Amino acid sequence: MSDIKKIKDEFLSKLKNQLTISEVNQIKTDLFGKKGLISSEFKKISQVDENNRKKFAVQLNEVKEELQERIDSKINEIQNAEINEKLIKEKIDITLPSRPYIKGKIHPVSQTIDEISSIFSEIGFSVEEGPDVENEYNNFTALNTPDNHPARDMHDTFYLDRNKHKLLRTHTSPVQIRTMLKDKPPFKIIAPGRTYRSDSDQTHSPMFHQVEGLNIDKDINMGHLKGCLNYFIKEFFEVDKIRMRFRPSHFPFTEPSAEVDIGYEIKNEKIIIGEGEKWLEILGCGMVHPNVLKNVKIDTKTYQGYAFGIGIDRLAMLKYGINDLRSFFDCDYRWLNHFGFDPLDVPTNYRGLSR
Ligand code: PHE
């Protein structure tokens, strides 16, 4: 009996020490393993004289239970301590000062495209895309541009083969054709992207950007076109009032056609949009020519609509005070650092486009 007490006292005091899980497991084996101390005591039961046997067995069971309980709670204790230590180590110190975010800026043209897409998506336009390498049919023929039209002249168009079948698109208007061929009306899309013409000076670059707009539905008229463009210009330049004029013009794929100018003035070497006496041309537009609709098998008695093509680079130059178009494509890191935008500042209408 005194053996049992000795074992109990010895191991209870051992379990008071700081132990690892494997040390506790070792204690478990020492006590309850095949050759363990408690297991050996159990084997002695039959040797105890009959008068004391029951008492011995009861006490042995009590000690066994007590030690087992103590071992279990010790294991629990160790595991909890491990978890707590882990949690403390993994804690993020939010009191650390942030690291300045310096590398990488969004190009003003990309920013402007995002702004334009955001504005038009608010009024139900979705965004379409087309390839830079186009065929002659989509770029010209389907757009009611006859073979002898000056726009087809080698001087303007970069052809990619002798037969003049493949070319770099000279405008985003072929996306009108692609869109109308792959679906059924109504259509309400914009298509921003790169365009190419063989031309280069302070206001022309051989690669430039346009955004096409197309709205085909029942009962669409010139008033809708005007309202849409008026809304867009005001939103884009973030002004309440705008002076705008529609000048009669000609495009083979629209009838009637117009070019749109906006009023501006220069105050302290800065362009002020929507005021003053000067006019600046920013886009071409019109009602889609019935021949174009026929080319894409749209019933012109039921459907009509408007289209427009806006020069993106020009809008970006005006809005952000950039005076040489060529600087857009110089890949000058210092320039980009000055005129570029924070990648996390995604333009949205409700938050303000460019703030
Ligand atoms: N594609 C014309 C251009 O590049 C612009 C335009 C688009 C005009 C749509 C009318 C309708 O000049």
Side-chain angles (χ1 to χ4, degrees), residues 170-171 173 176 197 210 212 251 253-254 284-286 307-309:
T170 56
H171 49 184
S173 302
Q176 289 186 35
R197 281 180 211 177
Q210 284 192 340
E212 194 77 10
F251 300 102
F253 35 90
T254 45
C285 63
F308 54 81

Side-chain angles (χ1 to χ4, degrees), residues 136-137 139-153 159 250-253 289 291 295:
E136 167 273 333
Y137 180 79
N139 196 81
F140 291 127
T141 314
L143 286 163
N144 196 35
T145 309
D147 258 346
N148 54 355
H149 194 279
R152 285 197 174 207
D153 195 293
Y159 287 99
H250 171 79
F251 300 102
F253 35 90
H289 198 292
N291 287 352
N295 286 339

Side-chain angles (χ1 to χ4, degrees), residues 36-297:
L37 294 170
I38 294 290
S39 315
S40 311
E41 289 302 311
F42 271 100
K43 280 176 199 148
K44 287 182 195 161
I45 290 178
S46 56
Q47 294 155 26
V48 178
D49 66 85
E50 237 172 273
N51 293 338
N52 286 329
R53 194 179 293 158
K54 194 174 174 197
K55 204 175 164 199
F56 176 81
V58 168
Q59 278 199 336
L60 186 55
N61 264 318
E62 276 171 7
V63 168
K64 180 190 160 193
E65 262 168 37
E66 191 179 347
L67 282 169
Q68 246 167 0
E69 246 170 48
R70 189 63 201 108
I71 286 174
D72 287 346
S73 73
K74 186 74 184 177
I75 289 179
N76 242 331
E77 221 172 80
I78 297 171
Q79 282 173 341
N80 280 341
E82 273 175 6
I83 290 173
N84 281 335
E85 199 185 334
K86 222 175 161 186
L87 284 176
I88 287 168
K89 268 198 205 145
E90 282 177 2
K91 207 170 84 179
I92 295 169
D93 184 358
I94 54 167
T95 62
L96 273 176
S98 65
R99 267 173 243 141
Y101 187 72
I102 40 172
K103 288 224 173 76
K105 287 280 181 95
I106 299 292
H107 195 284
V109 170
S110 305
Q111 171 81 12
T112 303
I113 290 177
D114 285 348
E115 291 176 20
I116 293 172
S117 304
S118 169
I119 295 168
F120 280 110
S121 66
E122 281 282 302
I123 51 169
F125 285 81
S126 56
V127 178
E128 283 288 335
E129 276 184 332
D132 292 10
V133 174
E134 256 301 354
N135 57 51
E136 167 273 333
Y137 180 79
N138 286 342
N139 196 81
F140 291 127
T141 314
L143 286 163
N144 196 35
T145 309
D147 258 346
N148 54 355
H149 194 279
R152 285 197 174 207
D153 195 293
M154 281 289 272
H155 289 288
D156 280 326
T157 309
F158 289 113
Y159 287 99
L160 299 176
D161 59 359
R162 278 179 196 286
N163 299 329
K164 297 189 182 174
H165 288 326
K166 284 224 172 333
L167 46 83
L168 292 174
R169 65 177 178 188
T170 56
H171 49 184
T172 42
S173 302
V175 187
Q176 289 186 35
I177 302 301
R178 287 179 175 272
T179 306
M180 291 191 286
L181 280 176
K182 76 172 186 214
D183 237 322
K184 293 220 156 2
F187 299 102
K188 199 172 179 187
I189 60 111
I190 57 162
R194 293 194 188 99
T195 45
Y196 305 82
R197 281 180 211 177
S198 183
D199 213 349
S200 184
D201 58 37
Q202 196 176 342
T203 51
H204 293 92
S205 150
M207 191 278 286
F208 56 105
H209 298 84
Q210 284 192 340
V211 58
E212 194 77 10
L214 177 72
N215 187 358
I216 303 288
D217 208 332
K218 295 169 184 161
D219 304 321
I220 296 281
N221 60 44
M222 201 88 179
H224 295 120
L225 170 62
K226 268 181 107 165
C228 170
L229 291 174
N230 198 286
Y231 159 82
F232 165 71
I233 297 297
K234 280 202 294 211
E235 288 289 310
F236 181 77
F237 287 105
E238 297 171 61
V239 291
D240 296 327
K241 267 212 306 230
I242 196 86
R243 282 174 68 234
M244 217 171 142
R245 86 178 168 195
F246 279 65
R247 241 182 324 103
S249 184
H250 171 79
F251 300 102
F253 35 90
T254 45
E255 182 59 38
S257 303
E259 277 172 326
V260 173
D261 304 333
I262 50 174
Y264 74 102
E265 68 179 339
I266 295 183
K267 253 193 210 158
N268 304 327
E269 290 175 35
K270 269 197 154 177
I271 294 179
I272 317 260
I273 302 291
E275 294 170 23
E277 292 304 311
K278 292 193 158 83
W279 294 101
L280 196 94
E281 182 204 322
I282 51 155
L283 64 93
C285 63
M287 299 305 291
V288 177
H289 198 292
N291 287 352
V292 175
L293 296 176
K294 278 177 203 150
N295 286 339
V296 293
K297 310 268 179 304

